[in-house]
Structures are given as structure tokens and as C-alpha cells.
């Protein structure tokens, strides 16, 4: 049985382990089917202490390569512990959301993870 994502908390519990003990920013995408069941978690980029570069084309190419993907959850960490999204985080989220609309992939959430805490764009009404 594949994990089912009902909420940002479900997504956090699923993805948090990918960020433990990371002292640089890393970016992952959880690819889900129409029933919000996890199909695959893929690393997208590995960065430095304060940023990582994410190419939205890579996010979507991987989505097309995984059969059944219709929805995405983005996640990256802030090693500093600051949960506040940067301008770059907000712009990336909007770019992937808009690209997803065109390509028929729904962006469910973007999580910023810092230790045992997270910030959810969906919970904050930013999607």
C-alpha cells in the first residue's frame, strides 16, 4: 500500500527523513497519483548553506517519466532553521504551480522543512 497524503502534516512526516542531518539546502519532489498516493520521491537539487537552484523543467520531466503522476508536493529545507519563505521560494512555487496548470499537474503543497518543524504554502493560503 502506497502512503496517502491527506494534509501538509502527512507530507511532512513522509518527507522529513530526507532532510535530517543535511547542513546544505536540498530540494525534493513527491510525485503522487490522482488518489494522492505516493508514487515516488525524487531529489531535484543539492545546494549550499543558503540556497539551491531548482530547474522547473527537471521537476516536470521527472513527472512525465513516472507513470500515473498527476500531483506534486515540493519540499526543501532551510538549514538555518528559519521557516520563512524567501522571495525565491515564493517565485519558484508560483512558477511550478503555473507550469503545472499548463501541463495538467496539480501542485498540492510546497513545504519548507527546518528540523522538526515545517512551513506549508498550502496551509498559509499561498497556492
Amino acid at each position: 500500500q502506497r502512503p496517502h497524503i491527506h494534509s501538509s502534516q502527512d507530507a511532512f512526516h513522509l518527507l522529513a527523513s530526507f532532510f535530517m542531518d543535511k547542513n546544505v539546502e536540498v530540494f525534493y519532489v513527491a510525485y503522487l497519483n490522482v488518489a494522492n498516493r505516493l508514487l515516488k520521491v525524487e531529489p531535484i537539487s543539492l545546494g549550499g548553506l543558503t540556497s539551491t537552484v531548482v530547474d522547473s523543467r527537471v521537476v516536470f520531466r521527472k513527472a512525465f517519466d513516472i507513470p500515473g503522476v498527476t500531483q506534486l508536493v515540493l519540499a526543501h529545507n532551510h538549514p538555518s532553521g528559519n521557516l520563512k519563505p524567501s522571495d525565491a521560494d515564493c517565485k519558484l512555487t508560483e512558477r511550478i504551480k503555473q507550469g503545472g496548470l499548463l501541463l495538467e499537474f496539480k501542485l498540492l503543497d510546497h513545504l519548507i522543512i527546518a528540523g522538526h518543524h515545517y512551513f506549508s504554502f498550502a496551509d498559509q493560503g499561498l497556492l
Side-chain angles (χ1 to χ4, degrees):
Q1 186 88 323
R2 296 183 180 276
H4 191 227
I5 305 297
H6 292 287
S7 65
S8 63
Q9 187 174 10
D10 291 343
F12 172 71
H13 288 301
L14 174 78
L15 296 166
S17 64
F18 290 91
F19 300 98
M20 292 301 161
D21 302 322
K22 297 283 194 284
N23 57 2
V24 295
E25 278 201 21
V26 291
F27 194 97
Y28 286 85
V29 176
Y31 294 95
L32 298 98
N33 66 16
V34 71
N36 289 16
R37 296 260 181 214
L38 178 68
L39 297 173
K40 195 168 190 182
V41 176
E42 284 284 323
I44 302 299
S45 70
L46 173 68
L49 294 174
T50 59
S51 68
T52 189
V53 176
V54 176
D55 186 333
S56 55
R57 294 170 295 189
V58 172
V59 171
F60 293 119
R61 180 181 50 80
K62 289 182 184 241
F64 281 114
D65 289 344
I66 303 167
V69 171
T70 61
Q71 304 183 97
L72 315 172
V73 174
L74 312 177
H76 78 283
N77 65 328
H78 280 179
S80 67
N82 180 5
L83 288 172
K84 185 176 189 254
S86 68
D87 286 341
D89 294 336
C90 294
K91 287 176 183 173
L92 172 66
T93 303
E94 185 61 24
R95 191 168 63 243
I96 291 178
K97 177 185 172 187
Q98 293 303 318
L101 290 172
L102 260 152
L103 300 170
E104 299 182 11
F105 294 110
K106 182 177 182 182
L107 178 59
L108 295 179
D109 208 343
H110 181 175
L111 301 181
I112 297 172
I113 296 173
H116 298 289
H117 303 282
Y118 69 96
F119 175 92
S120 163
F121 279 74
D123 291 354
Q124 298 302 314
L126 298 174
L127 284 185

